[in-house]
Amino acid sequence: MRTSLFLAAATVLLSSSQVLRSEAQQLCNGYAALCAKTYDKVVYPTTHNAYAHPPPEALAINQDNDIPTQLKDGIRGLMLDAYAASNPTDVIQLCHGSCKVFDGGPLADTLGAIKTFLDANPNEVITILWENAGKLTPAQFESVYQTAGVSDYLYTQPSGTTTWPTLAEMISSGKRLVNFVDSGADASVPWLMAEYDFIFETPWLIQKGAEYPCTVDRPKDGRRQMYVLNHFISRSLGDNTDVPQPGAAPQTNGADLVNHANDCQSVFNQLPSFVAVDFYEKGTVFQTIAQLNGVTWNNKVPTQPKATSQSGVASIKDGVNIKALGMIALTVALGLLTL
């Protein structure tokens, strides 16, 4: 009897020790120190136009790596643009400006990639920031999300609540995919939350060489609980055409990012929640995010794009695929490019 009691007690102690050790070793979005932070107090590395990575026919790109690679490297916020698909089977297409200019494929494919990542990485929380350019309905979003099999991951913030769960709580609940949309949200699909109820954004159109602003751009009526620090630059080619600047990205995502983040933190007395960048693997994005989060960078180096030949996609300069540009006859842009 005494032996049985001793064994039972030993089993309980061992089990408790294993639980404590497991909790101590848990990482949330790559860092143990983030587990106790509430969702709104964490800074998330975010890719602007995350879907705009190079296929050969792309006019302009904002990222060198595809979304699965972005997630693997540590990106935890994705900016996506939604348009109605020409193929009714797909419902929603990821495009920029026009699907004729850049077609990032059906949303279902991207959600499938996100689901694969979430399935394999149970301690990660991901946010999607939607630009509803195609004025799609919440029901259309819900249809694609259900088909992609991600419904069980969707987080909904209770109405009227400003207190967010910790990352550890979200991970424990399994609700690890947060969605905000800039327009068109309603109560019929509560997980597709109105961005500007919770978030404000700094200006997004920053020309190369201009100062980085720390003002409220959207919504027009002022600040919110969280904010997007839009930190990406472009160069005007005239005719309302602005193109990304990959050649400047090491500086943009390096010292310029540190200064911009510090300036806006001082102005707003608030850390940004989403730091949105182009060409995230250039510069020191992850080191800067770690510093803002108050953690020591985990030394995880992002994937560098493979070198390409001088033909084909290698003709991308200043974020523009020259071959594609010529195909759609943007003669103004061609005249201003220095090749």
Side-chain angles (χ1 to χ4, degrees):
M1 182 67 173
R2 290 179 179 176
T3 302
S4 299
L5 288 173
F6 175 81
L7 289 175
T11 301
V12 170
L13 288 172
L14 179 60
S15 176
S16 299
S17 174
Q18 289 173 336
V19 168
L20 289 172
R21 186 162 55 249
S22 175
E23 290 178 348
Q25 292 174 345
Q26 182 184 9
L27 302 180
C28 299
N29 282 23
Y31 296 92
L34 299 184
C35 293
K37 290 192 176 187
T38 56
Y39 171 84
D40 59 310
K41 299 302 182 184
V42 177
V43 185
Y44 304 94
T46 301
T47 41
H48 168 237
N49 291 341
Y51 56 87
H53 50 81
E57 68 276 10
L59 169 62
I61 63 169
N62 298 94
Q63 307 301 332
D64 289 318
N65 295 325
D66 60 19
I67 287 177
T69 304
Q70 293 174 33
L71 294 173
K72 178 181 69 68
D73 285 346
I75 292 298
R76 293 297 175 264
L78 303 169
M79 286 181 159
L80 304 178
D81 294 6
Y83 286 77
S86 56
N87 179 353
T89 304
D90 293 331
V91 184
I92 297 177
Q93 205 83 357
L94 302 180
C95 302
H96 191 206
S98 164
C99 291
K100 293 181 180 179
V101 174
F102 188 96
D103 187 345
L107 170 58
D109 290 352
T110 292
L111 288 178
I114 292 172
K115 181 180 185 300
T116 296
F117 179 84
L118 289 170
D119 289 347
N121 298 273
N123 289 345
E124 304 300 319
V125 176
I126 296 173
T127 301
I128 300 178
L129 297 163
W130 279 107
E131 181 180 335
N132 189 10
K135 301 186 185 306
L136 302 166
T137 66
Q140 289 174 294
F141 281 96
E142 185 164 50
S143 173
V144 183
Y145 275 68
Q146 287 178 343
T147 300
V150 296
S151 297
D152 288 345
Y153 286 123
L154 298 174
Y155 175 79
T156 302
Q157 178 72 347
S159 178
T161 303
T162 58
T163 301
W164 290 80
T166 65
L167 291 195
E169 289 169 339
M170 297 177 76
I171 288 166
S172 178
S173 71
K175 305 301 183 182
R176 302 184 284 120
L177 183 57
V178 185
N179 292 263
F180 298 102
V181 65
D182 67 343
S183 65
D186 64 41
S188 66
V189 181
W191 57 261
L192 188 62
M193 296 176 284
E195 177 184 355
Y196 301 133
D197 285 353
F198 303 94
I199 299 168
F200 73 89
E201 296 195 27
T202 62
W204 58 271
L205 185 58
I206 307 171
Q207 291 292 329
K208 185 176 182 180
E211 292 186 4
Y212 293 96
C214 292
T215 56
V216 178
D217 183 57
R218 296 172 288 182
K220 296 303 182 185
D221 61 346
R223 292 174 53 180
R224 296 293 187 268
Q225 187 176 11
M226 297 177 278
Y227 72 96
V228 175
L229 180 71
N230 284 311
H231 185 85
F232 41 86
I233 63 173
S234 59
R235 182 164 69 94
S236 176
L237 298 181
D239 195 31
N240 295 318
T241 302
D242 293 280
V243 296
Q245 300 294 290
Q251 174 70 29
T252 304
N253 295 343
D256 289 356
L257 176 58
V258 173
N259 292 334
H260 192 194
N262 288 339
D263 287 348
C264 290
Q265 183 180 357
S266 177
V267 169
F268 298 129
N269 193 28
Q270 178 182 356
L271 284 170
S273 293
F274 306 96
V275 176
V277 299
D278 287 341
F279 312 107
Y280 71 92
E281 78 287 351
K282 303 178 190 296
T284 55
V285 171
F286 294 103
Q287 293 94 316
T288 301
I289 299 295
Q291 184 177 15
L292 292 171
N293 276 322
V295 298
T296 301
W297 179 49
N298 60 13
N299 292 314
K300 185 176 180 181
V301 177
T303 303
Q304 300 302 309
K306 294 180 180 178
T308 55
S309 65
Q310 290 303 308
S311 60
V313 185
S315 62
I316 291 176
K317 182 176 182 178
D318 281 350
V320 179
N321 184 326
I322 305 306
K323 181 178 179 181
L325 192 61
M327 289 174 62
I328 66 171
L330 291 178
T331 54
V332 173
L334 280 171
L336 291 175
L337 274 174
T338 303
L339 299 178

